[in-house]
Amino acid sequence: MEHVLSPATLAELRRPRPYPAVSVLTPTHRRDPHKTQDQVRLRNAVAEAKRQLETDAAVSRERRAEVARHLDQALSEVDLTHAEDGLVIFAASGEHQVWSLARSVPERVVLSDTFLTRNLVSAQTADRPFWVLSLSADRATLWNGGVDRVAEQRADGFPLTRRVENFDPERQERIGDLPSAFREERTRQFLRETDTAMSTVLREHPRPLYVTGPPPALALLDEVGTATKGAVHVPHGGLAHGTPESVWQAIRPVIETEARRDTDAVTRALETARGRREFAAGVDELWQSARDGRVRLLAVEENYRVTVSEAGDHLILAEDAGSESREDIVDEIVEQCLETGADVRFVPDGALGEAEGIAGVLRY
């Protein structure tokens, strides 16, 4: 299942396909009792997609069979053992993908000439993804981080390793000789190679970077590297050979501190915007402003969801989800704001007060 949404991947997903490009969305759960129902819900959603294919006169028999086969293949690749909060299946002629999301999605089946990507974009933004690079004298490990966990990223050359003769980091720590391992020219070269590999990752998947390691390693990386100069240093050795949990526990206090600062900065920006008459709140006002490209900063509470219906040029709250209602209007607003260059921030529930879940600063 896919987790990392890069700009290149998103552009490829948005590429027009021969009709039909099928998007199947379903909420999933991390824990029981709802977790046990996910498999049934997912199978029913795929069955509904096949039913729509069967009844769509614009789809030929050959195309219908091919897309249905890809739906079945995608379903067989789903691993709900490690389910997050949402699942998206894309299937079209000659291809299929499965995406696991750390943000809930509405239960939907959409047949179009493009895949439905707004829920992926919103989930990626809400997850506040980051990289953690963990250093030692003989190993550099890359971790893919999200809102509540990290996982090792085995790609783009990572983990990088080198053989060090007679190297015993634990003994060096005991006798106080650890810095010597980072004075060797071979170690300098190893960290240059690490910086180059990290540069490739950041170019393809730009996001905040945290670097962990003993202080001599962090100092040397700053000296020999370029791509990692803007990273946040977390002086903590042993994580290049560590577990995801040990890395998360080391990085978590730093992430939480930065998240609090970010929330404070957002609320201050919104208060300033009120005084300048550049403030907007509510899905109706922000939906229209987003379509006009007027939103400069969008703030959304993490679990804010609302179902609406269109009433002419306005949105009204809908009592229930129906065929004419829009359950993912928040994700649509997020995607539209990102498309027009807005800064989108997710903040803790309740942080926006009277704005009731969503607010923004307007450009004009």
Short mmCIF file of all heavy atoms in Angstrom, two decimals, residues 114-181:
data_model
loop_
_atom_site.label_atom_id
_atom_site.label_comp_id
_atom_site.label_asym_id
_atom_site.label_seq_id
_atom_site.Cartn_x
_atom_site.Cartn_y
_atom_site.Cartn_z
N THR A 114 -10.44 11.06 -14.40
CA THR A 114 -9.28 11.28 -13.52
C THR A 114 -9.58 10.62 -12.18
O THR A 114 -10.74 10.38 -11.84
CB THR A 114 -8.99 12.78 -13.29
OG1 THR A 114 -10.16 13.38 -12.70
CG2 THR A 114 -8.65 13.48 -14.58
N PHE A 115 -8.53 10.35 -11.42
CA PHE A 115 -8.72 9.82 -10.08
C PHE A 115 -9.07 10.96 -9.12
O PHE A 115 -8.66 12.11 -9.32
CB PHE A 115 -7.45 9.12 -9.59
CG PHE A 115 -7.12 7.85 -10.33
CD1 PHE A 115 -5.81 7.59 -10.74
CD2 PHE A 115 -8.10 6.92 -10.61
CE1 PHE A 115 -5.50 6.42 -11.41
CE2 PHE A 115 -7.80 5.74 -11.29
CZ PHE A 115 -6.49 5.50 -11.69
N LEU A 116 -9.81 10.64 -8.07
CA LEU A 116 -10.18 11.61 -7.05
C LEU A 116 -9.03 11.73 -6.05
O LEU A 116 -8.78 10.82 -5.26
CB LEU A 116 -11.46 11.15 -6.33
CG LEU A 116 -12.04 12.11 -5.31
CD1 LEU A 116 -12.55 13.38 -5.97
CD2 LEU A 116 -13.19 11.45 -4.54
N THR A 117 -8.33 12.86 -6.06
CA THR A 117 -7.09 12.99 -5.27
C THR A 117 -7.22 13.89 -4.05
O THR A 117 -6.31 13.93 -3.23
CB THR A 117 -5.95 13.54 -6.15
OG1 THR A 117 -6.33 14.84 -6.64
CG2 THR A 117 -5.65 12.61 -7.31
N ARG A 118 -8.32 14.61 -3.90
CA ARG A 118 -8.35 15.63 -2.85
C ARG A 118 -8.22 15.05 -1.46
O ARG A 118 -7.65 15.69 -0.57
CB ARG A 118 -9.59 16.50 -2.97
CG ARG A 118 -10.93 15.81 -2.85
CD ARG A 118 -12.02 16.88 -2.85
NE ARG A 118 -13.35 16.34 -2.92
CZ ARG A 118 -14.12 16.37 -4.02
NH1 ARG A 118 -13.65 16.88 -5.14
NH2 ARG A 118 -15.34 15.87 -4.00
N ASN A 119 -8.72 13.83 -1.25
CA ASN A 119 -8.60 13.22 0.07
C ASN A 119 -7.16 12.84 0.38
O ASN A 119 -6.70 12.92 1.52
CB ASN A 119 -9.51 12.01 0.18
CG ASN A 119 -10.95 12.34 -0.17
OD1 ASN A 119 -11.38 12.12 -1.30
ND2 ASN A 119 -11.68 12.91 0.77
N LEU A 120 -6.39 12.43 -0.63
CA LEU A 120 -4.97 12.14 -0.45
C LEU A 120 -4.21 13.40 -0.09
O LEU A 120 -3.38 13.41 0.82
CB LEU A 120 -4.37 11.54 -1.73
CG LEU A 120 -4.40 10.03 -1.90
CD1 LEU A 120 -5.82 9.52 -2.06
CD2 LEU A 120 -3.55 9.62 -3.10
N VAL A 121 -4.51 14.48 -0.80
CA VAL A 121 -3.81 15.75 -0.56
C VAL A 121 -4.09 16.25 0.85
O VAL A 121 -3.18 16.65 1.58
CB VAL A 121 -4.25 16.80 -1.61
CG1 VAL A 121 -3.69 18.17 -1.26
CG2 VAL A 121 -3.80 16.38 -3.00
N SER A 122 -5.35 16.21 1.26
CA SER A 122 -5.71 16.68 2.59
C SER A 122 -5.08 15.81 3.68
O SER A 122 -4.56 16.32 4.68
CB SER A 122 -7.23 16.69 2.74
OG SER A 122 -7.62 17.21 3.99
N ALA A 123 -5.10 14.49 3.48
CA ALA A 123 -4.52 13.59 4.47
C ALA A 123 -3.01 13.82 4.59
O ALA A 123 -2.46 13.81 5.70
CB ALA A 123 -4.81 12.14 4.09
N GLN A 124 -2.34 14.01 3.46
CA GLN A 124 -0.90 14.25 3.48
C GLN A 124 -0.58 15.54 4.23
O GLN A 124 0.36 15.61 5.03
CB GLN A 124 -0.36 14.32 2.06
CG GLN A 124 1.13 14.59 1.96
CD GLN A 124 1.96 13.32 2.00
OE1 GLN A 124 1.46 12.26 2.35
NE2 GLN A 124 3.21 13.43 1.65
N THR A 125 -1.38 16.58 3.99
CA THR A 125 -1.14 17.87 4.66
C THR A 125 -1.42 17.77 6.15
O THR A 125 -0.66 18.28 6.98
CB THR A 125 -2.03 18.95 4.03
OG1 THR A 125 -1.82 18.98 2.61
CG2 THR A 125 -1.71 20.32 4.59
N ALA A 126 -2.51 17.09 6.52
CA ALA A 126 -2.87 16.95 7.93
C ALA A 126 -1.85 16.11 8.69
O ALA A 126 -1.63 16.31 9.88
CB ALA A 126 -4.26 16.32 8.05
N ASP A 127 -1.21 15.18 7.99
CA ASP A 127 -0.26 14.28 8.64
C ASP A 127 1.05 14.98 8.98
O ASP A 127 1.87 14.45 9.72
CB ASP A 127 0.01 13.08 7.73
CG ASP A 127 0.56 11.88 8.49
OD1 ASP A 127 0.17 11.71 9.65
OD2 ASP A 127 1.37 11.14 7.92
N ARG A 128 1.25 16.18 8.42
CA ARG A 128 2.47 16.97 8.66
C ARG A 128 3.72 16.09 8.51
O ARG A 128 4.50 15.91 9.47
CB ARG A 128 2.44 17.61 10.04
CG ARG A 128 1.33 18.63 10.21
CD ARG A 128 1.48 19.39 11.52
NE ARG A 128 1.16 18.57 12.67
CZ ARG A 128 -0.06 18.43 13.19
NH1 ARG A 128 -1.07 19.07 12.63
NH2 ARG A 128 -0.27 17.67 14.25
N PRO A 129 3.95 15.52 7.34
CA PRO A 129 5.06 14.58 7.17
C PRO A 129 6.43 15.23 7.35
O PRO A 129 6.60 16.43 7.07
CB PRO A 129 4.88 14.07 5.74
CG PRO A 129 4.14 15.16 5.04
CD PRO A 129 3.23 15.75 6.08
N PHE A 130 7.37 14.46 7.81
CA PHE A 130 8.74 14.95 7.99
C PHE A 130 9.70 13.78 7.81
O PHE A 130 9.30 12.62 7.78
CB PHE A 130 8.92 15.58 9.39
CG PHE A 130 8.59 14.65 10.53
CD1 PHE A 130 9.54 13.81 11.08
CD2 PHE A 130 7.31 14.63 11.06
CE1 PHE A 130 9.24 12.95 12.12
CE2 PHE A 130 6.99 13.76 12.12
CZ PHE A 130 7.96 12.93 12.64
N TRP A 131 10.98 14.11 7.68
CA TRP A 131 12.03 13.10 7.60
C TRP A 131 12.88 13.16 8.86
O TRP A 131 13.10 14.24 9.42
CB TRP A 131 12.95 13.33 6.39
CG TRP A 131 12.32 13.21 5.05
CD1 TRP A 131 12.18 14.20 4.11
CD2 TRP A 131 11.77 12.03 4.46
NE1 TRP A 131 11.57 13.70 2.98
CE2 TRP A 131 11.30 12.38 3.17
CE3 TRP A 131 11.61 10.72 4.90
CZ2 TRP A 131 10.70 11.46 2.31
CZ3 TRP A 131 11.00 9.81 4.06
CH2 TRP A 131 10.56 10.17 2.78
N VAL A 132 13.35 12.00 9.28
CA VAL A 132 14.36 11.92 10.34
C VAL A 132 15.55 11.16 9.77
O VAL A 132 15.40 10.04 9.26
CB VAL A 132 13.85 11.19 11.59
CG1 VAL A 132 14.94 11.14 12.66
CG2 VAL A 132 12.59 11.86 12.14
N LEU A 133 16.72 11.78 9.83
CA LEU A 133 17.96 11.15 9.39
C LEU A 133 18.79 10.85 10.64
O LEU A 133 19.14 11.76 11.39
CB LEU A 133 18.74 12.09 8.46
CG LEU A 133 20.11 11.62 7.98
CD1 LEU A 133 19.99 10.35 7.13
CD2 LEU A 133 20.81 12.72 7.20
N SER A 134 19.06 9.56 10.88
CA SER A 134 19.81 9.15 12.08
C SER A 134 21.22 8.73 11.68
O SER A 134 21.39 7.87 10.79
CB SER A 134 19.09 8.00 12.79
OG SER A 134 17.85 8.43 13.29
N LEU A 135 22.21 9.30 12.36
CA LEU A 135 23.61 9.11 11.97
C LEU A 135 24.40 8.34 13.01
O LEU A 135 24.18 8.48 14.21
CB LEU A 135 24.29 10.48 11.79
CG LEU A 135 23.69 11.44 10.77
CD1 LEU A 135 24.45 12.76 10.84
CD2 LEU A 135 23.74 10.85 9.37
N SER A 136 25.33 7.53 12.52
CA SER A 136 26.41 6.99 13.33
C SER A 136 27.63 6.97 12.40
O SER A 136 27.53 7.33 11.23
CB SER A 136 26.09 5.59 13.85
OG SER A 136 26.08 4.65 12.79
N ALA A 137 28.77 6.52 12.92
CA ALA A 137 29.98 6.51 12.09
C ALA A 137 29.92 5.47 10.99
O ALA A 137 30.66 5.55 10.01
CB ALA A 137 31.21 6.27 12.97
N ASP A 138 29.04 4.47 11.13
CA ASP A 138 29.01 3.39 10.14
C ASP A 138 27.64 3.19 9.49
O ASP A 138 27.46 2.29 8.67
CB ASP A 138 29.45 2.07 10.79
CG ASP A 138 28.47 1.61 11.87
OD1 ASP A 138 27.76 2.46 12.44
OD2 ASP A 138 28.41 0.39 12.14
N ARG A 139 26.64 4.04 9.85
CA ARG A 139 25.31 3.81 9.29
C ARG A 139 24.52 5.12 9.30
O ARG A 139 24.63 5.93 10.23
CB ARG A 139 24.56 2.75 10.10
CG ARG A 139 23.18 2.38 9.56
CD ARG A 139 22.55 1.32 10.45
NE ARG A 139 21.19 0.98 10.05
CZ ARG A 139 20.88 0.04 9.18
NH1 ARG A 139 21.83 -0.70 8.64
NH2 ARG A 139 19.63 -0.22 8.86
N ALA A 140 23.72 5.33 8.25
CA ALA A 140 22.78 6.45 8.17
C ALA A 140 21.42 5.88 7.80
O ALA A 140 21.26 5.24 6.76
CB ALA A 140 23.23 7.48 7.14
N THR A 141 20.45 6.09 8.68
CA THR A 141 19.11 5.52 8.49
C THR A 141 18.12 6.65 8.29
O THR A 141 18.16 7.66 8.99
CB THR A 141 18.71 4.68 9.72
OG1 THR A 141 19.71 3.71 9.97
CG2 THR A 141 17.38 3.98 9.49
N LEU A 142 17.20 6.47 7.34
CA LEU A 142 16.17 7.46 7.06
C LEU A 142 14.83 6.95 7.56
O LEU A 142 14.46 5.80 7.35
CB LEU A 142 16.10 7.74 5.55
CG LEU A 142 15.12 8.83 5.11
CD1 LEU A 142 15.52 10.18 5.68
CD2 LEU A 142 15.04 8.90 3.59
N TRP A 143 14.09 7.85 8.25
CA TRP A 143 12.79 7.52 8.81
C TRP A 143 11.73 8.43 8.22
O TRP A 143 11.92 9.64 8.14
CB TRP A 143 12.80 7.65 10.33
CG TRP A 143 13.93 6.92 10.99
CD1 TRP A 143 15.19 7.40 11.26
CD2 TRP A 143 13.93 5.56 11.46
NE1 TRP A 143 15.96 6.44 11.86
CE2 TRP A 143 15.21 5.30 12.01
CE3 TRP A 143 12.96 4.55 11.49
CZ2 TRP A 143 15.55 4.07 12.56
CZ3 TRP A 143 13.30 3.32 12.04
CH2 TRP A 143 14.57 3.09 12.57
N ASN A 144 10.61 7.86 7.83
CA ASN A 144 9.47 8.58 7.30
C ASN A 144 8.53 8.88 8.46
O ASN A 144 7.98 7.98 9.07
CB ASN A 144 8.78 7.72 6.23
CG ASN A 144 7.54 8.37 5.67
OD1 ASN A 144 7.32 9.56 5.82
ND2 ASN A 144 6.70 7.56 5.03
N GLY A 145 8.35 10.17 8.79
CA GLY A 145 7.59 10.53 9.97
C GLY A 145 6.25 11.14 9.65
O GLY A 145 6.06 11.81 8.63
N GLY A 146 5.28 10.91 10.55
CA GLY A 146 3.95 11.49 10.45
C GLY A 146 3.50 12.01 11.79
O GLY A 146 4.31 12.23 12.69
N VAL A 147 2.18 12.15 11.96
CA VAL A 147 1.67 12.83 13.13
C VAL A 147 1.90 12.05 14.42
O VAL A 147 1.98 12.63 15.50
CB VAL A 147 0.16 13.14 12.94
CG1 VAL A 147 -0.67 11.87 13.00
CG2 VAL A 147 -0.32 14.16 13.95
N ASP A 148 2.02 10.72 14.36
CA ASP A 148 2.16 9.96 15.60
C ASP A 148 3.09 8.77 15.48
O ASP A 148 3.05 7.86 16.30
CB ASP A 148 0.79 9.48 16.10
CG ASP A 148 0.09 8.58 15.08
OD1 ASP A 148 0.66 8.34 13.99
OD2 ASP A 148 -1.03 8.13 15.37
N ARG A 149 3.97 8.75 14.46
CA ARG A 149 4.86 7.61 14.32
C ARG A 149 5.93 7.89 13.29
O ARG A 149 5.85 8.85 12.54
CB ARG A 149 4.10 6.34 13.91
CG ARG A 149 3.80 6.22 12.40
CD ARG A 149 2.58 6.99 12.01
NE ARG A 149 2.24 6.83 10.60
CZ ARG A 149 2.09 7.84 9.78
NH1 ARG A 149 2.29 9.07 10.21
NH2 ARG A 149 1.73 7.65 8.54
N VAL A 150 6.96 7.02 13.28
CA VAL A 150 7.94 7.01 12.20
C VAL A 150 8.07 5.57 11.70
O VAL A 150 7.78 4.62 12.43
CB VAL A 150 9.32 7.54 12.64
CG1 VAL A 150 9.22 8.97 13.12
CG2 VAL A 150 9.94 6.65 13.70
N ALA A 151 8.50 5.43 10.47
CA ALA A 151 8.76 4.11 9.90
C ALA A 151 10.02 4.22 9.05
O ALA A 151 10.26 5.25 8.41
CB ALA A 151 7.58 3.64 9.05
N GLU A 152 10.82 3.16 9.03
CA GLU A 152 12.06 3.23 8.27
C GLU A 152 11.76 3.31 6.78
O GLU A 152 10.90 2.59 6.25
CB GLU A 152 12.94 2.01 8.55
CG GLU A 152 14.30 2.14 7.87
CD GLU A 152 15.27 1.01 8.21
OE1 GLU A 152 14.92 0.16 9.05
OE2 GLU A 152 16.36 1.00 7.63
N GLN A 153 12.48 4.19 6.10
CA GLN A 153 12.35 4.39 4.67
C GLN A 153 13.49 3.68 3.97
O GLN A 153 14.64 4.16 3.99
CB GLN A 153 12.36 5.89 4.34
CG GLN A 153 12.22 6.21 2.87
CD GLN A 153 10.77 6.17 2.41
OE1 GLN A 153 9.87 5.89 3.18
NE2 GLN A 153 10.55 6.47 1.14
N ARG A 154 13.21 2.54 3.37
CA ARG A 154 14.24 1.78 2.67
C ARG A 154 14.12 2.08 1.18
O ARG A 154 13.54 1.30 0.42
CB ARG A 154 14.11 0.29 2.97
CG ARG A 154 14.52 -0.07 4.39
CD ARG A 154 14.48 -1.56 4.65
NE ARG A 154 15.13 -1.89 5.92
CZ ARG A 154 16.40 -2.21 6.05
NH1 ARG A 154 17.18 -2.26 4.98
NH2 ARG A 154 16.91 -2.49 7.24
N ALA A 155 14.66 3.20 0.79
CA ALA A 155 14.62 3.64 -0.61
C ALA A 155 15.65 4.73 -0.79
O ALA A 155 16.22 5.24 0.19
CB ALA A 155 13.22 4.15 -0.97
N ASP A 156 15.92 5.09 -2.05
CA ASP A 156 16.86 6.17 -2.37
C ASP A 156 18.24 5.94 -1.77
O ASP A 156 18.94 6.88 -1.40
CB ASP A 156 16.30 7.51 -1.88
CG ASP A 156 14.94 7.83 -2.49
OD1 ASP A 156 14.85 7.92 -3.72
OD2 ASP A 156 13.97 7.96 -1.72
N GLY A 157 18.63 4.66 -1.67
CA GLY A 157 19.95 4.33 -1.16
C GLY A 157 20.03 4.11 0.33
O GLY A 157 21.08 3.69 0.84
N PHE A 158 18.95 4.43 1.06
CA PHE A 158 18.95 4.26 2.51
C PHE A 158 18.46 2.86 2.90
O PHE A 158 17.58 2.32 2.23
CB PHE A 158 18.07 5.31 3.17
CG PHE A 158 18.70 6.68 3.17
CD1 PHE A 158 18.37 7.60 2.18
CD2 PHE A 158 19.61 7.04 4.14
CE1 PHE A 158 18.94 8.87 2.18
CE2 PHE A 158 20.19 8.29 4.14
CZ PHE A 158 19.86 9.21 3.16
N PRO A 159 19.03 2.29 3.97
CA PRO A 159 20.08 2.86 4.82
C PRO A 159 21.45 2.78 4.14
O PRO A 159 21.74 1.85 3.40
CB PRO A 159 20.06 1.96 6.06
CG PRO A 159 19.56 0.64 5.54
CD PRO A 159 18.58 0.97 4.46
N LEU A 160 22.29 3.78 4.42
CA LEU A 160 23.67 3.77 3.95
C LEU A 160 24.55 3.16 5.04
O LEU A 160 24.40 3.48 6.22
CB LEU A 160 24.15 5.20 3.67
CG LEU A 160 23.79 5.81 2.30
CD1 LEU A 160 22.31 6.16 2.26
CD2 LEU A 160 24.63 7.05 2.04
N THR A 161 25.43 2.27 4.63
CA THR A 161 26.33 1.65 5.61
C THR A 161 27.75 1.64 5.06
O THR A 161 27.97 1.75 3.85
CB THR A 161 25.90 0.20 5.90
OG1 THR A 161 25.93 -0.56 4.68
CG2 THR A 161 24.51 0.14 6.49
N ARG A 162 28.71 1.51 5.97
CA ARG A 162 30.09 1.33 5.56
C ARG A 162 30.77 0.44 6.58
O ARG A 162 30.37 0.38 7.76
CB ARG A 162 30.82 2.67 5.46
CG ARG A 162 31.19 3.30 6.79
CD ARG A 162 31.89 4.63 6.58
NE ARG A 162 32.35 5.20 7.84
CZ ARG A 162 33.62 5.25 8.23
NH1 ARG A 162 34.57 4.73 7.46
NH2 ARG A 162 33.96 5.79 9.38
N ARG A 163 31.78 -0.25 6.15
CA ARG A 163 32.53 -1.12 7.05
C ARG A 163 33.61 -0.31 7.74
O ARG A 163 34.39 0.39 7.10
CB ARG A 163 33.16 -2.28 6.27
CG ARG A 163 33.87 -3.27 7.17
CD ARG A 163 34.34 -4.47 6.38
NE ARG A 163 35.03 -5.43 7.24
CZ ARG A 163 35.50 -6.60 6.81
NH1 ARG A 163 35.33 -6.96 5.55
NH2 ARG A 163 36.11 -7.40 7.65
N VAL A 164 33.64 -0.41 9.06
CA VAL A 164 34.65 0.30 9.85
C VAL A 164 35.50 -0.72 10.58
O VAL A 164 34.99 -1.52 11.37
CB VAL A 164 33.98 1.26 10.87
CG1 VAL A 164 35.03 2.02 11.65
CG2 VAL A 164 33.04 2.21 10.14
N GLU A 165 36.78 -0.73 10.30
CA GLU A 165 37.69 -1.71 10.92
C GLU A 165 37.85 -1.41 12.42
O GLU A 165 38.10 -0.26 12.81
CB GLU A 165 39.07 -1.66 10.24
CG GLU A 165 39.04 -2.02 8.77
CD GLU A 165 38.65 -3.47 8.52
OE1 GLU A 165 38.82 -4.28 9.45
OE2 GLU A 165 38.17 -3.77 7.41
N ASN A 166 37.72 -2.47 13.22
CA ASN A 166 37.95 -2.37 14.66
C ASN A 166 37.12 -1.25 15.29
O ASN A 166 37.57 -0.54 16.18
CB ASN A 166 39.44 -2.11 14.97
CG ASN A 166 40.31 -3.22 14.41
OD1 ASN A 166 39.96 -4.40 14.52
ND2 ASN A 166 41.44 -2.84 13.83
N PHE A 167 35.90 -1.11 14.82
CA PHE A 167 35.04 -0.02 15.30
C PHE A 167 34.09 -0.56 16.36
O PHE A 167 33.32 -1.48 16.10
CB PHE A 167 34.26 0.60 14.15
CG PHE A 167 33.35 1.72 14.58
CD1 PHE A 167 33.88 2.87 15.15
CD2 PHE A 167 31.98 1.61 14.44
CE1 PHE A 167 33.05 3.90 15.55
CE2 PHE A 167 31.16 2.64 14.84
CZ PHE A 167 31.69 3.79 15.39
N ASP A 168 34.15 0.00 17.56
CA ASP A 168 33.29 -0.41 18.66
C ASP A 168 32.73 0.85 19.30
O ASP A 168 33.32 1.42 20.22
CB ASP A 168 34.08 -1.22 19.69
CG ASP A 168 33.19 -1.74 20.82
OD1 ASP A 168 32.02 -1.33 20.87
OD2 ASP A 168 33.69 -2.54 21.63
N PRO A 169 31.55 1.34 18.82
CA PRO A 169 31.03 2.60 19.33
C PRO A 169 30.75 2.55 20.82
O PRO A 169 30.95 3.55 21.53
CB PRO A 169 29.74 2.82 18.54
CG PRO A 169 29.63 1.74 17.56
CD PRO A 169 30.72 0.76 17.77
N GLU A 170 30.27 1.41 21.33
CA GLU A 170 29.97 1.33 22.75
C GLU A 170 31.24 1.48 23.58
O GLU A 170 31.26 2.19 24.59
CB GLU A 170 29.27 0.01 23.07
CG GLU A 170 27.86 -0.09 22.48
CD GLU A 170 27.16 -1.35 22.92
OE1 GLU A 170 27.76 -2.13 23.69
OE2 GLU A 170 26.00 -1.55 22.51
N ARG A 171 32.34 0.85 23.12
CA ARG A 171 33.59 0.98 23.86
C ARG A 171 34.10 2.41 23.78
O ARG A 171 34.57 2.98 24.78
CB ARG A 171 34.64 0.02 23.28
CG ARG A 171 36.00 0.14 23.97
CD ARG A 171 37.01 -0.83 23.38
NE ARG A 171 38.30 -0.67 24.05
CZ ARG A 171 39.21 0.25 23.71
NH1 ARG A 171 38.95 1.10 22.73
NH2 ARG A 171 40.36 0.33 24.36
N GLN A 172 33.97 3.02 22.61
CA GLN A 172 34.44 4.40 22.47
C GLN A 172 33.67 5.35 23.37
O GLN A 172 34.23 6.29 23.93
CB GLN A 172 34.34 4.84 21.01
CG GLN A 172 35.37 4.17 20.11
CD GLN A 172 35.32 4.71 18.69
OE1 GLN A 172 34.32 5.27 18.28
NE2 GLN A 172 36.39 4.54 17.96
N GLU A 173 32.35 5.09 23.53
CA GLU A 173 31.57 5.92 24.42
C GLU A 173 32.05 5.75 25.87
O GLU A 173 32.13 6.70 26.64
CB GLU A 173 30.09 5.58 24.31
CG GLU A 173 29.45 6.10 23.03
CD GLU A 173 27.97 5.76 22.97
OE1 GLU A 173 27.48 5.07 23.88
OE2 GLU A 173 27.31 6.19 22.00
N ARG A 174 32.39 4.49 26.25
CA ARG A 174 32.81 4.23 27.63
C ARG A 174 34.14 4.90 27.94
O ARG A 174 34.33 5.42 29.04
CB ARG A 174 32.93 2.72 27.86
CG ARG A 174 31.60 1.98 27.95
CD ARG A 174 31.81 0.60 28.58
NE ARG A 174 32.75 -0.22 27.83
CZ ARG A 174 32.42 -1.03 26.81
NH1 ARG A 174 31.16 -1.10 26.42
NH2 ARG A 174 33.34 -1.74 26.20
N ILE A 175 35.05 4.92 26.97
CA ILE A 175 36.38 5.47 27.25
C ILE A 175 36.51 6.92 26.78
O ILE A 175 37.58 7.51 26.86
CB ILE A 175 37.49 4.62 26.60
CG1 ILE A 175 37.39 4.71 25.05
CG2 ILE A 175 37.42 3.18 27.06
CD1 ILE A 175 38.53 3.98 24.36
N GLY A 176 35.41 7.47 26.29
CA GLY A 176 35.43 8.88 25.92
C GLY A 176 36.15 9.18 24.64
O GLY A 176 36.62 10.30 24.44
N ASP A 177 36.22 8.20 23.72
CA ASP A 177 36.97 8.41 22.49
C ASP A 177 36.06 8.52 21.27
O ASP A 177 36.50 8.40 20.15
CB ASP A 177 37.96 7.25 22.29
CG ASP A 177 39.00 7.58 21.21
OD1 ASP A 177 39.41 8.75 21.14
OD2 ASP A 177 39.37 6.67 20.45
N LEU A 178 34.75 8.71 21.50
CA LEU A 178 33.81 8.72 20.38
C LEU A 178 34.13 9.79 19.33
O LEU A 178 34.04 9.52 18.14
CB LEU A 178 32.38 8.91 20.91
CG LEU A 178 31.26 8.87 19.86
CD1 LEU A 178 31.25 7.52 19.16
CD2 LEU A 178 29.91 9.16 20.49
N PRO A 179 34.52 11.02 19.71
CA PRO A 179 34.78 12.03 18.67
C PRO A 179 35.81 11.62 17.64
O PRO A 179 35.77 12.07 16.50
CB PRO A 179 35.25 13.25 19.48
CG PRO A 179 34.61 13.07 20.82
CD PRO A 179 34.65 11.58 21.05
N SER A 180 36.76 10.72 18.01
CA SER A 180 37.80 10.35 17.06
C SER A 180 37.25 9.67 15.83
O SER A 180 37.80 9.77 14.75
CB SER A 180 38.83 9.44 17.75
OG SER A 180 38.24 8.20 18.10
N ALA A 181 36.14 8.95 16.00
CA ALA A 181 35.54 8.27 14.85
C ALA A 181 35.06 9.28 13.81
O ALA A 181 34.93 8.95 12.64
CB ALA A 181 34.36 7.41 15.32
#
